[in-house]
Amino acid sequence: MNRFEYHDGQLRCEGQPLRDLAARFGTPLYVYSAETFRTHFARLAHAFGALQPRICYSVKCCPNLDILRLLAACGSGFDIVSGGELFRVLRIGTPPDRIVFAGVGKTEREIDEALAARVGLLNVESAGELELLARAAQRHAVTPDVALRIIPDVDAKTHAYTTTGTRHNKFGIPLDQAADLYRRFGASPLVRLRGLHLHIGSPVSDPERYALGIRRALQLIDTLRAEGLTVDTLDIGGGYGAHYVGDDAPSADAYAQVIVPLLADRGLRVILEPGRSIAANAGVLVTRVLYVKTSGRRRFVVVDASMNELIRPALYSAYHFIWPVDAGPRIPQDWSPNQPFDGLRRCDVVGPVCESGDFLAKGRRLPPVQPGDLLAVHTAGAYGMAMASQYNSRPRAAEVLVDGGAVRLMRRRETYEDLIAAEHVPPE
Ligand code: LLP
């Protein structure tokens, strides 16, 4: 479900024509639907309701403060991976017990900040980190709750760069080492070991992959409990899919059908860390066509958005559905994205950045477009703006949130002065 719909030939977000938003705020422009965020959060909460999980939205996928506030109001906690993300969630007044902190390379400073803030759970990824954490906890005179992130050694069958749960990845601790570490720190007065964490990848389109990882975690939990150790928490991470090509992702219910029976009646506090499944379909990137040109048999549609705004096609060869904002008379009234029609033209949608890898789509069949037309790049709400850069000294785009009748600029377009703001360093 998303609230980006064509009405009278115009793509709208919760009824607001994207053409009007582009005229008001300029392009490239991220537009988000608040209702879509809320609906996706509610669906996940409902699907997993039997477990009464703590849902911790993964801040990294779309970290704007207004989005965090919106999800906090839905009852969400937050999964963070850096001091910067901690800063964000504290800034919106998140109760610290609703924060879980993962990350393979937490610095001592970040650990100090997490302890000072009393975050609810630290997901530790190595023996060295746990030793450092124990020393820091002593200094702070606190006893933090800790989970060990395990390597379940499950191939999530997703892009190599977003596969995280195999022993070839940098994340987590091998099962045997995790068992030893749990035993070593199980009775420590410095840290309170509560359980295990896993995150196998993103997106994971086969729910059975979770089952494999969770069964391995449960085996370890049974072993540790049999030895008298306390294990009352299992954080099963994120990675639930979003719709990129039509309705391609499993529903929240489909994941829950596999996962809930495994964890029901296990006496575990279950934590979920969804990002993309909540945010991706809640955002589009609106871009304007600058030029159309041909070279040999290739046709290039040069737009004002680039890998600066959306790096996923360049980095993961990711597919994002692209279509004109103004469907107008060029497109049949009964058109739907899965029904191609005559008159489509194969083209590369490319940005202005000086890299051949700067494309939003390759060999894509689009209706004829001309300079000035607006295109919507769909499913861009997660890992879009979050991964934006200023490469080529291009100020980052603006972000707008549509919430029913209300339109809110939730991040202004950057200026040239913003590009050099951090370079105003006084001479030594
Ligand atoms: N929990 C942990 C520990 C994670 O590392 C991640 C994502 C999540 C939760 C949330 O995963 P999600 O539900 O959003 O799939 N930039 C890539 C995705 C990188 C994911 C990193 N970790 C992309 O654009 O596809």
Side-chain angles (χ1 to χ4, degrees):
M1 169 277 173
N2 70 66
R3 287 298 317 275
F4 295 93
E5 298 136 335
Y6 281 93
H7 190 64
D8 293 338
Q10 279 296 312
L11 183 60
R12 295 159 193 258
C13 175
E14 302 193 15
Q16 301 285 336
L18 294 191
R19 185 176 55 187
D20 295 355
L21 298 178
R24 186 165 155 204
F25 298 105
T27 56
L29 180 71
Y30 272 99
V31 179
Y32 301 91
S33 152
E35 190 188 324
T36 309
F37 272 99
R38 291 192 192 100
T39 303
H40 288 164
F41 182 88
R43 283 193 182 162
L44 207 61
H46 183 260
F48 284 87
L51 299 176
Q52 294 192 296
R54 159 122 296 157
I55 300 182
C56 292
Y57 169 72
S58 196
V59 171
K60 65 177 81 68
C61 83
C62 185
N64 187 291
L65 296 180
D66 276 340
I67 299 302
L68 302 183
R69 283 192 198 100
L70 183 161
L71 289 167
C74 296
S76 190
F78 297 106
D79 154 47
I80 61 167
V81 286
S82 69
E85 289 188 349
L86 177 61
F87 171 77
R88 283 181 180 273
V89 298
L90 292 178
R91 178 55 66 91
I92 65 150
T94 306
D97 63 317
R98 296 192 171 195
I99 304 170
V100 299
F101 192 173
V104 69
K106 300 182 194 76
T107 63
E108 190 163 2
R109 174 179 164 179
E110 287 174 321
I111 289 175
D112 280 337
E113 289 167 355
L115 293 175
R118 308 273 196 274
V119 305
L121 189 67
L122 281 127
N123 290 334
V124 163
E125 306 217 12
S126 64
E129 184 191 336
L130 187 52
E131 286 154 8
L132 182 67
L133 173 61
R135 286 197 298 277
Q138 194 163 32
R139 249 191 352 265
H140 284 258
V142 293
T143 317
D145 281 357
V146 171
L148 299 186
R149 179 167 178 177
I150 56 164
I151 302 176
D153 207 17
V154 171
D155 181 353
K157 299 257 179 345
T158 187
H159 193 279
Y161 292 176
T162 57
T163 295
T164 51
T166 81
R167 73 188 109 124
H168 307 297
N169 305 124
K170 67 180 176 179
F171 302 98
I173 307 168
L175 286 168
D176 53 338
Q177 291 178 32
D180 289 344
L181 204 55
Y182 213 102
R183 290 179 187 118
R184 204 174 119 207
F185 281 86
S188 165
L190 303 177
V191 294
R192 197 177 301 114
L193 279 183
R194 298 292 300 266
L196 304 181
H197 172 226
L198 63 152
H199 171 75
I200 57 175
S202 165
V204 185
S205 46
D206 176 6
E208 287 297 333
R209 299 273 119 193
Y210 286 90
L212 289 173
I214 289 170
R215 280 200 199 96
R216 290 196 182 144
L218 289 173
Q219 253 170 20
L220 178 54
I221 289 172
D222 288 343
T223 306
L224 296 170
R225 281 178 166 171
E227 295 174 23
L229 292 157
T230 301
V231 188
D232 62 12
T233 300
L234 181 62
D235 181 343
I236 61 169
Y240 318 98
H243 299 310
Y244 286 92
V245 189
D247 292 344
D248 51 326
S251 64
D253 283 331
Y255 289 106
Q257 268 161 26
V258 172
I259 295 171
V260 169
L262 292 172
L263 295 177
D265 308 321
R266 278 297 197 141
L268 288 166
R269 171 179 62 143
V270 175
I271 300 173
L272 309 181
E273 301 173 338
R276 178 195 318 268
S277 55
I278 293 177
N281 290 110
V284 304
L285 172 61
V286 183
T287 182
R288 198 175 288 281
V289 176
L290 299 174
Y291 306 101
V292 179
K293 63 180 188 176
T294 55
S295 166
R297 296 180 60 190
R298 282 201 107 76
R299 184 179 181 81
F300 294 100
V301 175
V302 186
V303 297
D304 65 1
S306 66
M307 65 194 292
N308 288 134
E309 286 72 33
L310 186 65
I311 201 173
R312 303 191 71 258
L315 199 54
Y316 316 115
S317 305
Y319 176 95
H320 286 263
F321 177 67
I322 300 179
W323 205 253
V325 162
D326 183 353
R330 284 172 303 190
I331 293 164
Q333 287 299 300
D334 59 353
W335 171 82
S336 82
N338 297 324
Q339 298 172 335
F341 58 91
D342 290 344
L344 294 186
R345 290 185 150 170
R346 199 172 287 283
C347 47
D348 292 358
V349 181
V350 300
V353 164
C354 299
E355 301 249 359
S356 294
D358 177 31
F359 60 89
L360 298 175
K362 284 217 161 175
R364 190 67 61 81
R365 283 153 59 84
L366 282 181
V369 290
Q370 54 203 29
D373 284 358
L374 293 169
L375 299 178
V377 184
H378 287 257
T379 323
Y383 307 107
M385 187 63 184
M387 296 176 82
S389 78
Q390 296 171 329
Y391 180 45
N392 279 200
S393 289
R394 289 168 36 90
R396 271 177 291 222
E399 291 180 295
V400 165
L401 181 65
V402 180
D403 192 355
V407 172
R408 181 175 153 71
L409 179 65
M410 60 177 193
R411 183 181 165 104
R412 65 164 172 78
R413 188 172 302 285
E414 288 181 354
T415 63
Y416 291 151
E417 284 299 332
D418 289 327
L419 294 176
I420 58 168
E423 293 168 33
H424 293 307
V425 183
E428 298 263 314

